[in-house]
Amino acid sequence: MKENDNARVRARILKEPGLPPFFQAGGDRSNWETALFMPTLSRLRFGLPSLPPPEFRFGELESSDVPIRILTKDRWPSEIQFSNCLWFPEMDGEYCSCLLQAIYDSYASIRSNYDFLSEEDAARCLPDLADPSALYPMVRLNWLTIHAVAHASIPYIGAEFACAWDDEQGLGMLSCGTEILDLGTADVAVNGERARTHRAELLEKLKHS
């Protein structure tokens, strides 16, 4: 990531050993942004080139970077969220495959939800797919969000996409690591309450196991 000096003047900056800088815009109290080197997952950033790219305010993303947003509950990222960032480079390929497979597995349902499209639009936006790799030109990864979930060593991640079939609401997924919890429109990716509820339910099950 090439840092933007003009944006840095107006930003708070956090530096954590072993990680790139984290930036927060002045006036913001809940979002911190950075970019992580993930050469496999970053391939999902280059679909749908006709759409305007998402704004990354604090620098120029390298081709192998993925923009990361950390959502906080008390203004500052937790130590576990910093630790969560280290999960991504290790799981780059597996996480990318997990996202593609989840969309592919839900594709019939997605097509059904958009059955109001004309035959021509459906053929263009939701064509038949041979395998998950056929999704690369049809989706574009805009952001990953790390949710504030206490003591969660495996990150709760929101993946927010632009997609060919819905240029207004997009596509979103929420996962615990590579376990997909929800898939829907882009707002699914930022549902931190759902992430915390899943964590609480998981801990409750462990208590009674």
Side-chain angles (χ1 to χ4, degrees):
M1 176 180 63
K2 298 175 182 176
E3 296 177 25
N4 181 332
D5 290 334
N6 291 330
R8 287 184 59 180
V9 172
R10 303 186 298 275
R12 298 181 185 88
I13 303 174
L14 277 178
K15 294 191 175 181
E16 184 74 8
L19 291 169
F22 294 81
F23 300 95
Q24 186 184 66
D28 197 343
R29 290 294 183 270
S30 60
N31 295 316
W32 291 83
E33 297 175 10
T34 190
L36 296 176
F37 176 75
M38 287 186 272
T40 303
L41 188 63
S42 63
R43 292 177 57 202
L44 284 171
R45 285 182 44 228
F46 299 101
L48 304 175
S50 62
L51 295 181
E55 180 186 16
F56 186 74
R57 296 171 289 181
F58 304 112
E60 180 183 343
L61 294 175
E62 304 282 2
S63 61
S64 294
D65 286 341
V66 173
I68 303 285
R69 180 187 294 119
I70 293 184
L71 291 186
T72 67
K73 294 196 73 177
D74 57 1
R75 296 184 56 183
W76 304 102
S78 65
E79 286 300 319
I80 200 71
Q81 286 178 300
F82 286 133
S83 177
N84 288 162
C85 289
L86 300 174
W87 180 91
F88 287 97
E90 294 294 326
M91 299 295 290
D92 178 23
E94 187 173 342
Y95 181 60
C96 181
S97 296
C98 155
L99 294 180
L100 287 170
Q101 189 66 49
I103 303 171
Y104 184 76
D105 290 345
S106 299
Y107 196 64
S109 176
I110 291 170
R111 285 175 128 182
S112 153
N113 291 338
Y114 290 85
D115 60 1
F116 56 84
L117 293 174
S118 69
E119 187 174 336
E120 181 182 354
D121 285 343
R124 176 175 54 85
C125 299
L126 289 163
D128 293 337
L129 299 181
D131 55 58
S133 66
L135 287 160
Y136 276 104
M138 297 170 58
V139 297
R140 184 188 66 203
L141 179 62
N142 288 337
W143 283 96
L144 294 182
T145 296
I146 300 175
H147 289 283
V149 180
H151 310 299
S153 57
I154 297 176
Y156 281 83
I157 312 159
E160 184 180 339
F161 291 84
C163 60
W165 55 89
D166 194 331
D167 56 6
E168 292 185 2
Q169 299 185 84
L171 172 71
M173 278 177 275
L174 182 68
S175 72
C176 176
T178 57
E179 178 190 354
I180 302 296
L181 305 180
D182 293 318
L183 185 150
T185 51
D187 57 313
V188 167
V190 292
N191 190 347
E193 196 56 42
R194 167 72 170 113
R196 287 182 284 275
T197 298
H198 177 268
R199 175 68 176 175
E201 291 171 348
L202 185 61
L203 292 177
E204 193 63 27
K205 287 179 183 177
L206 289 173
K207 285 180 186 178
H208 296 93
S209 62

